[in-house]
């Protein structure tokens, strides 16, 4: 972003005066965490960090920034992967960290109301006290916030049963660019009263408004969770197993994760503390979870399904969790992708996040590997993903040079475009993937996004330059 | 709407020339169905009826209408209940009736692609041929179209399991007001690549764009469907039964419909051809459906749940469907609300569609009845609804006078506002409910809707005056 002219010298002083010293940090009071990425790389220090206590604080801040044309970047747990929340030069950081309360849990209505800065794990824990579950779950649960989950439409491990974050939102309170508060904390599943404004703010990475509170769907906590790890001879059998699992487990199927041989083998061999429940020579491994409130039904259903799968030669081998500890141990394999990446010294790992039609996933993975090797015979790919949702996370490992990095990135996004896939299933666009947005959206779609941005944020102050430039 | 200045004398001729005689009907060629409501009441004849064969036809039409500032009303199956699709004076009708093909059914991806004018029942039937189900279902299935379902975010009978129409949409092709085609027929569950534009067009009643094609989620067809009708002593037991059903049936619970005594009793006594599976003196009746692909599991689950409910004194009596015919016979009771309305001669029936918190539904219904009787001691209420989704359909029966009509309408919407409910759970706002939009949306929300309308349709040509005036 080019430097703005708007911010007058006294603007930070005005913020101090209006919002209070404890809300507005500047100069030496700004901690490094507000302007360093996950890897610890610094970006320029923001002019100020504003930490609102209330929705009214957010409204006051944005009204003033709108008046002056001062850009603002909103920060949640800073666990995003696309450089969406790191401040650009001259931006003010709006940190939601102090608005972190779960305000209400209503079991009979199936609703919880949380402030946007609430860490996901804190919300999960709070509703558990009432025998409930908020189904969204992802590796960053300890740090990521509800507001960040909403603005990125987070996916995670249970999408196959409960959908994306979007599907878990009943209502939102949002502050728009000029400080207007949209009080839309509706609690109803069914509410067809005009344009459903909340949808605009879910997944749009904070460029149209700042989410301050959310009414979220919560469900009865499952009494039982069982996990099976299966070994399969081919991707055709993986698809057949998915079909069988959907049929026989119905709504009790809560995860269907696939690991290509390289992922499983390398993880159990290289990552410390990971168990090896099955031998490492099989072509594919499926982690399959069933859960629900009727323990007997879950156990019987899963066992019966595995018997059928064995009988039909869909699976070569399988192991079933026998305790909470073994559930965790099996999930640990699937959740160790970051540790696996770090286990290869001198090698750069580039992680991707694409959606591809399931019946073309094998072809996609094979083509990717062949093209990667054509560029660099030493490079290799490791693939796994939420196959039940059509989502793959392929990684490319290579000796890092900036040229190669760009070449591999282009390769993956071009290939995804050729397959008619989505270049970002879960993680969003931010700044890092902006050059590739056009692989998944048409020019007319992007232009319509710009029209919306101009209408709702005419001075372009909210997370400017994220997703697209205006 | 005040009369537009825009339409030049030769405009209809230009449409004829550009789109062809068979696409553009005018004068005596315009059938009554394009300008009569469901009850057969006429509105002014439109200047022309345009029946596009392709998305390109829609684009050409809107480009020309945008140029001239000519308003257009889009028509699907004309089964809406809020006067959204009847033309206002001087509007051109855009009928989607010729774009009625199911273009693709992909079982492995779980996607069907249909043109917007496809009748719902036609789509249901087409995917059934491939062993699949499109879960949306409502009484108007034979006439209503996919495009109409999308633009009104239709609900219906299976929301408790599959969600609203919004939850079944993967991608949309949409033509915006100036004729731009947004090619967004994405097929992925997970696709976080910028603002999710399709959400804008779902449920916004055609004021932001014309949906031309949709990529829809389809599911394996359930092999088994079982229905129980239960009699209950109080609304407290109704809530307890819902909790039990959710817990023990999990994702197999596909409907939970509640009838207050008056609805059940009057329906089985007055509507011809309706059976009476249970006596008529119980306070509440619940229709509960379980379905899935594992027949044995569905039957066992439902029987076990009913035993528990009997043991816990939640239900006084129950009957279980023993055949497809008995499933249909029990559903027939629930689906006879229109026939019930017609069975009272000389009495006007006013149907409503509200969302209210489930633990306040009984109080809502009782208060409604008391207030209705305070206005007119001869008037009465009949209540039923999709209670599992928080949605009630109360009806007010009275000797019709225009004054009373307005008074009862105000009463229901005021009461819904007092209960913090939604004045339109499923049916939308259209023109009929426009005066009451402010009961469910704040001034700031409605003003933001206007901002979006102005940005995407600056000449206000798409369904003008529906939901709000600009």
């Amino acid at each position: 972003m080019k430097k703005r002219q708007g911010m007058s010298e006294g603007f930070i002083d005005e913020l101090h005066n209006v919002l209070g010293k404890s809300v507005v940090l500047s100069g030496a009071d700004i901690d490094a965490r507000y302007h360093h990425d996950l890897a610890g790389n610094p970006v320029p220090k923001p002019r100020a960090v504003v930490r609102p206590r209330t929705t009214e604080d957010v409204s006051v801040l944005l009204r003033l920034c709108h008046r002056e044309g001062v850009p603002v970047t909103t920060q949640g747990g800073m666990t995003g992967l696309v450089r969406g929340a790191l401040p650009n030069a001259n931006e003010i950081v709006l940190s939601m960290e102090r608005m972190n309360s779960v305000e209400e849990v209503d079991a009979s209505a199936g609703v919880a109301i949380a402030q946007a800065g609430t860490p996901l794990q804190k919300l999960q824990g709070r509703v558990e006290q009432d025998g409930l579950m908020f189904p969204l779950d992802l590796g960053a649960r300890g740090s990521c916030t509800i507001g960040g989950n909403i603005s990125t439409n987070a996916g995670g491990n249970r999408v196959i049963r409960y959908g994306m974050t979007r599907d878990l939102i009943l209502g939102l309170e949002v502050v728009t660019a000029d400080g207007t508060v949209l009080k839309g904390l509706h609690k109803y599943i069914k509410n067809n009263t005009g344009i459903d404004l909340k949808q605009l703010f879910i997944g749009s990475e904070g460029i149209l408004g700042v989410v301050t509170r959310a009414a979220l769907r919560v469900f009865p906590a499952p009494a039982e969770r069982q996990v099976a790890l299966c070994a399969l001879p081919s991707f055709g059998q993986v698809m057949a197993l998915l079909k069988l699992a959907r049929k026989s487990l119905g709504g009790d199927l809560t995860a269907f994760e696939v690991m290509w041989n390289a992922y499983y083998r390398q993880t159990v061999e290289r990552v410390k503390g990971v168990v090896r429940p099955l031998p490492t020579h099989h072509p594919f491994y499926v982690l399959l979870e069933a859960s629900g409130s009727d323990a007997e039904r879950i156990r019987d259903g899963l066992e019966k399904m595995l018997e059928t799968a064995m009988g039909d030669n869909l699976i070569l081998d399988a192991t079933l969790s026998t305790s909470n500890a073994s559930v965790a141990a099996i999930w640990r394999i699937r959740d160790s992708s970051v540790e696996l990446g770090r286990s290869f010294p001198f090698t750069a790992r580039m992680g991707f996040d694409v959606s591809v039609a399931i019946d073309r996933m094998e072809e996609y993975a094979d083509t990717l590997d062949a093209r990667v090797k054509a560029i660099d015979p030493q490079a290799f790919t490791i693939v796994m993903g939420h196959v039940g949702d059509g989502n793959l996370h392929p990684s490319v490992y290579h000796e890092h040079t900036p040229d190669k990095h760009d070449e591999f990135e282009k390769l993956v996004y071009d290939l995804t475009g050729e397959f008619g896939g989505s270049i970002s299933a879960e993680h969003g666009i931010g700044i890092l993937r902006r050059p590739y947005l056009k692989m998944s959206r048409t020019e007319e779609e992007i232009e319509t996004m710009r029209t919306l941005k101009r209408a709702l944020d005419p001075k372009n102050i909210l997370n400017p330059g994220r997703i697209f430039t205006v």
Side-chain angles (χ1 to χ4, degrees), chain A:
Chain A
M1 297 303 300
K2 61 177 186 287
K3 197 167 174 183
R4 307 281 181 130
Q5 303 302 313
M7 202 183 316
S8 61
E9 280 307 307
F11 187 67
I12 303 300
D13 291 340
E14 184 178 0
L15 291 183
H16 269 132
N17 292 338
V18 176
L19 289 163
K21 291 266 178 203
S22 78
V23 172
V24 183
L25 307 176
S26 59
D29 292 337
I30 296 177
D31 190 87
R33 73 176 184 278
Y34 299 110
H35 57 106
H36 282 70
D37 70 13
L38 277 175
N41 301 315
V43 297
K45 201 173 204 177
R47 288 285 298 274
V49 172
V50 180
R51 303 180 304 154
R53 300 149 302 188
T54 62
T55 301
E56 181 57 23
D57 281 351
V58 177
S59 173
V60 167
L61 171 70
L62 293 189
R63 197 159 60 237
L64 294 173
C65 289
H66 180 75
R67 189 194 72 195
E68 298 276 321
V70 172
V72 176
T73 182
T74 306
Q75 293 186 348
M78 298 295 278
T79 60
L81 298 170
V82 293
R83 208 192 173 293
L86 282 176
N88 289 324
N90 217 32
E91 286 179 358
I92 283 181
V93 163
L94 166 55
S95 168
M96 295 301 291
E97 64 196 356
R98 290 168 82 178
M99 290 184 66
N100 60 12
S101 299
V102 180
E103 297 181 340
E104 189 185 328
V105 179
D106 181 340
S108 85
V111 182
I113 293 187
Q115 293 181 327
T118 308
L120 173 59
Q121 199 164 38
K122 178 176 175 178
L123 175 70
Q124 290 173 333
R126 172 61 191 84
V127 305
E128 264 167 36
Q129 291 171 16
D130 289 13
L132 299 167
M133 168 187 61
F134 180 59
L136 180 68
D137 193 44
L138 51 154
R141 67 184 71 81
S143 315
C144 68
T145 63
I146 294 301
N149 298 151
I150 292 168
S151 67
T152 58
N153 187 28
N157 296 331
R158 294 191 188 122
V159 173
I160 196 171
R161 172 66 181 93
Y162 296 98
M164 305 283 280
T165 300
R166 184 182 303 279
D167 302 298
L168 303 172
I169 307 293
L170 294 170
L172 291 182
E173 180 185 79
V174 176
V175 184
T176 56
D178 64 0
T180 300
V181 181
L182 298 179
K183 293 182 179 164
L185 272 185
H186 308 288
K187 292 182 178 180
Y188 306 108
I189 294 167
K190 299 165 83 166
N191 186 18
N192 281 343
T193 49
I195 302 168
D196 191 2
L197 296 174
K198 68 176 177 287
Q199 305 296 343
L200 270 175
F201 305 104
I202 302 169
S204 57
E205 305 185 29
I207 68 169
L208 301 180
V210 176
V211 174
T212 47
R213 293 197 295 165
L216 305 154
R217 294 186 75 168
V218 292
F219 296 81
E224 184 72 15
R225 195 157 74 118
Q226 290 249 337
V227 170
L229 182 70
C230 310
L232 298 94
S234 77
F235 198 78
Q237 262 99 338
V238 170
M239 289 199 290
L241 182 65
L242 175 59
K243 198 173 166 184
L244 172 68
R246 283 206 157 110
K247 181 178 160 165
S248 58
L249 298 173
D252 297 337
L253 178 67
T254 45
F256 191 94
E257 305 281 318
V258 179
M259 296 168 268
W260 268 245
N261 171 276
Y263 181 88
Y264 178 78
R265 181 170 40 84
Q266 301 272 21
T267 300
V268 302
E269 285 173 2
R270 302 178 71 93
V271 180
K272 213 178 148 182
V274 167
V275 298
R276 200 193 76 156
L278 296 175
T280 59
H281 62 281
H282 298 297
F284 292 93
Y285 297 82
V286 169
L287 183 166
L288 188 152
E289 183 187 89
S291 60
S293 294
D294 187 328
E296 194 188 326
R297 172 180 142 140
I298 298 299
R299 280 193 301 270
D300 292 353
L302 194 52
E303 278 169 22
K304 198 171 136 187
M305 194 220 73
L306 290 175
E307 274 169 35
T308 307
M310 283 279 189
D312 294 352
N313 294 317
L314 297 183
I315 56 181
L316 300 167
D317 201 352
T319 178
L320 196 60
S321 59
T322 50
S323 66
N324 285 345
S326 65
V327 166
I330 295 176
W331 266 111
R332 174 81 195 279
I333 305 168
R334 164 62 185 82
D335 283 344
S336 292
S337 61
V338 173
E339 291 91 329
L340 177 62
R342 290 187 187 137
S343 77
F344 293 96
F346 315 116
T347 301
R349 170 184 177 258
M350 297 172 63
F352 297 94
D353 161 44
V354 302
S355 279
V356 180
I358 185 167
D359 55 4
R360 298 194 69 193
M361 277 184 180
E362 187 176 24
E363 184 191 351
Y364 179 94
D366 292 347
T367 310
L368 175 64
D369 195 66
R371 291 194 192 172
V372 162
K373 290 207 154 54
I375 292 175
D376 176 355
Q378 306 300 312
F380 57 94
T381 62
I382 293 184
V383 181
M384 53 89 174
H386 314 289
V387 166
D389 316 317
N391 181 194
L392 285 185
H393 291 310
S395 294
V396 177
Y397 289 82
H398 63 101
E399 296 300 326
H400 183 71
T401 63
D403 268 14
K404 285 267 177 62
H405 183 280
D406 293 354
E407 206 173 343
F408 285 127
E409 192 169 78
K410 189 168 179 318
L411 186 165
V412 171
Y413 292 134
D414 284 350
L415 181 67
T416 307
E418 285 171 36
F419 275 69
S422 168
I423 63 150
S424 184
E426 299 187 315
H427 300 163
I429 299 297
I431 286 177
L432 286 186
R433 291 183 184 168
R434 203 172 62 191
Y436 302 100
L437 179 61
K438 61 181 184 291
M439 308 301 299
S440 287
R441 298 286 180 194
T442 65
E443 203 176 300
E444 290 79 12
E445 289 180 295
I446 297 169
E447 201 44 57
T448 304
M449 292 182 204
R450 286 197 179 97
T451 300
L452 294 171
K453 173 69 169 169
R454 285 188 210 109
L456 292 177
D457 181 14
K459 295 189 174 178
N460 193 26
I461 66 163
L462 296 177
N463 287 7
R466 279 68 166 189
I467 307 179
F468 49 78
T469 53
V470 176

